[in-house]
């Protein structure tokens, strides 16, 4: 059983699904399970955000980055308060 497919391979399979091929037939032809293919379709499907189209994967990465930046901002605010007191 093959695991860890390359991103380009996954994206090409997703494109075939978008073109009308069924995940079960692609599974038989290329190897990954139909469920994996469906998950890839969800992962790479575009999501409309503020008039821009991005993939669900990109949205997840942006949310994670945003959470990190918010945490850093809170740390900087606390540091500024401490410095202002001295």
């Amino acid at each position: 059983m093959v695991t860890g497919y390359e991103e380009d391979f996954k994206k090409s399979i997703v494109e075939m699904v978008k073109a009308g091929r069924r995940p079960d037939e692609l599974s038989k032809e290329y190897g990954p399970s139909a469920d994996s293919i469906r998950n890839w379709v969800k992962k790479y499907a575009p999501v409309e955000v503020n008039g821009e189209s991005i993939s669900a994967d990109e949205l997840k990465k942006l949310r994670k980055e945003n959470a990190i930046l918010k945490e850093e901002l809170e740390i900087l605010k606390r540091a500024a308060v401490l410095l202002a007191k001295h």
Side-chain angles (χ1 to χ4, degrees):
M1 183 171 145
V2 177
T3 59
Y5 294 99
E6 296 288 328
E7 291 296 309
D8 289 340
F9 174 77
K10 293 177 186 179
K11 289 177 182 178
S12 66
I13 295 290
V14 169
E15 288 302 316
M16 287 185 241
V17 171
K18 287 180 183 178
R21 305 269 315 265
R22 293 190 337 259
D24 58 326
E25 69 183 41
L26 292 171
S27 174
K28 290 175 186 171
E29 189 172 339
Y30 293 99
S33 71
D35 285 337
S36 291
I37 294 171
R38 286 184 198 95
N39 288 335
W40 298 343
V41 170
K42 288 177 190 173
K43 180 178 178 178
Y44 296 111
V47 176
E48 191 74 25
V49 178
N50 294 333
E52 285 189 48
S53 182
I54 61 172
S55 72
D57 192 45
E58 289 172 315
L59 180 59
K60 182 180 175 181
K61 288 177 185 176
L62 288 171
R63 285 181 174 164
K64 183 176 180 179
E65 182 180 346
N66 190 40
I68 291 168
L69 291 172
K70 283 181 179 181
E71 188 176 320
E72 289 175 356
L73 179 60
E74 286 303 313
I75 292 168
L76 289 171
K77 284 180 182 178
R78 291 182 199 145
V81 168
L82 289 174
L83 289 174
K85 289 182 181 179
H86 288 45

